[in-house]
Amino acid sequence: MIDVGLLGSIAIMVIVASVFVKPWPIGTATPTVLDIVTVPLLVGVLVGRLTSMAFDDPASLTNIRDVLVIRGGVEFWAGAAAGAALLVMQARRDDIRAEELLAAIAVPALLAWSAYEATCVIRDGCPGPIASVGLRPTGLLQPVFPVGLAVATVAIAGAALLRAAQRRGASSTTTVVVAIGLVATIRSVASIWLPHVGDHLTRQHRTSIAVGLLAWCALAVILVRARAGKQTRVA
């Protein structure tokens, strides 16, 4: 059965990224965002899916049909790491700085992710905690607070702040670290209200918390070093 909602979400993500990304000159060509991220995105989804299956149901790894059921679960950060690694390899092949390539797509990636979260309305009805005012997903009698829409709103605000920081001269490394920290923090907070089995933190939640802590610690180190460098130059 074709998952029309999921396909629609992916299509809208691609459109949003294509509209907001700045073409990245590699060699004599000027590729679009699709030329840059299509293969890394597909590899990321595949790695994320295989990682999720390896944790939850290793026996199903030999079933191609199960692998293709993306709704069955995708390990977000494993997929993101795989896609980023491929982008780094692509940058080195084209003799450009990897952090500059990653920074160039950081804001469009945030906007694309916000588009995916916002399109929960066409995908699964935007799950969340019971609320007096909200959306009512299919099969529920009471409305719920649409966590996906809230995530999309915060992600858009984060993308705007990150773009403003870039215009004020934020380094490529800082841009990438902040983007990672924003996504991890948003996912960590949103996971509190998303439905899950049991009272303990899910694997996805724990991973987002860990990635967020690492990203913000890395940012603190970057800022301290930058400040120390300025003081050294002044002295």
Side-chain angles (χ1 to χ4, degrees), residues 80-104:
L86 205 57
L87 283 169
V88 170
M89 292 171 60
Q90 181 177 308
R92 289 180 176 175
R93 181 197 64 197
D94 295 310
D95 197 26
I96 59 177
R97 294 177 61 195
E99 61 269 28
E100 289 184 2
L101 176 56
L102 294 174

Side-chain angles (χ1 to χ4, degrees), residues 106-148:
V107 170
L110 268 171
L111 293 173
W113 178 52
S114 71
Y116 177 81
E117 293 294 342
T119 51
C120 60
V121 293
I122 65 172
R123 197 170 58 250
D124 50 25
C126 299
I130 300 297
S132 56
V133 178
L135 302 179
R136 191 171 64 184
T138 302
L140 295 183
L141 298 177
Q142 293 179 286
V144 299
F145 178 77
V147 173

Side-chain angles (χ1 to χ4, degrees), residues 136-209:
R136 191 171 64 184
T138 302
L140 295 183
L141 298 177
Q142 293 179 286
V144 299
F145 178 77
V147 173
L149 296 183
V151 167
T153 302
V154 177
I156 291 171
L161 291 174
L162 191 58
R163 179 67 85 193
Q166 286 179 311
R167 289 172 177 166
R168 289 197 300 267
S171 69
S172 297
T173 302
T174 299
T175 298
V176 174
V177 170
V178 170
I180 294 172
L182 283 172
V183 174
T185 301
I186 294 170
R187 286 178 59 84
S188 297
V189 175
S191 293
I192 296 173
W193 293 286
L194 288 174
H196 58 275
V197 178
D199 296 326
H200 58 280
L201 297 180
T202 64
R203 184 175 66 249
Q204 296 272 17
H205 197 173
R206 292 196 302 271
T207 306
S208 290
I209 291 173

